[in-house]
Amino acid sequence: MLKKRLIGVVTVKDGWAVQSFGYRRYLPLGKPEVLVENLDRWGADEILVQCIDRSTAGLGPDLDVLAKISRLGIATPLIYAGGISCREDAVKVVSHGADRIMIDSMLFDSPQSLESVARDLGTQAVIAHLPLRMSEDGLRVLNYRVGVDHLLDSWLEQLPLAWISEVMVTDWLHEGSPDLFDERLLSVAQLIQ
């Protein structure tokens, strides 16, 4: 069953919060910690900080951003995504203040690592991010680092879904555009149950 929560998302590129449009254009918004502080004050259920340039540059998690956010003393649970490529990265992120992690590139590179991450942090702490689009042949998932998408059905067969608590779906074609989310992407729920 689908549940609704208000998750504030702070997208970080080159250390600055940005508004992303279709994974191609970025509008600078300011310091990530200021946006996080506002989302905490406004009552978001969770806050996701996603550092979108870490994996593509081969960098690990942005621990500096996490340190700045941790010093705020926010009450809202924090999800972190970006640069997490192994169990050690995931543990570092949680030890630096995140309550949960969201992974995407690890799903392509080393899905077998999910079990060790979930055993260390608990399955409830592991969220999968799926940038999807609908095509004539069905749902497709984007590997944004190489700009190639794959048919979701066959790709999902490789994932050990038992070690993931939730899935966040992004309509990557319409990302950043109001009122254009393709609701057909929610059919992914039938595939991952």
Side-chain angles (χ1 to χ4, degrees), residues 104-121:
D104 43 28
S105 58
M106 185 191 295
L107 298 173
F108 288 95
D109 298 342
S110 59
Q112 68 282 359
S113 300
L114 289 174
E115 180 177 356
S116 64
V117 170
R119 287 198 183 276
D120 278 1
L121 302 180

Side-chain angles (χ1 to χ4, degrees), residues 7-43:
I7 300 176
V9 178
V10 178
T11 302
V12 179
K13 184 175 184 344
D14 299 323
W16 290 95
V18 298
Q19 169 68 52
S20 174
F21 297 94
Y23 286 50
R24 292 180 303 277
R25 294 182 306 118
Y26 306 98
L27 173 68
L29 299 176
K31 295 180 179 181
E33 60 271 22
V34 173
L35 275 69
V36 167
E37 192 170 36
N38 286 333
L39 289 168
D40 180 54
R41 191 172 54 247
W42 296 335

Side-chain angles (χ1 to χ4, degrees), residues 66 70 77-81 90 92-101:
L66 273 171
S70 292
L78 182 68
I79 304 166
Y80 176 86
K92 266 189 219 173
V93 164
V94 170
S95 70
H96 280 78
D99 298 287
R100 304 198 302 153
I101 62 163

Side-chain angles (χ1 to χ4, degrees), residues 3 5 7 46 79 100-103 107 123-130 161 163-169 192:
K3 303 229 183 218
R5 292 194 321 270
I7 300 176
E46 285 185 286
I79 304 166
R100 304 198 302 153
I101 62 163
M102 188 168 71
I103 54 172
L107 298 173
T123 302
Q124 82 289 344
V126 182
I127 303 167
H129 176 234
L130 300 180
L161 294 173
W163 303 109
I164 298 169
S165 66
E166 297 178 38
V167 172
M168 180 176 139
V169 172
I192 58 176

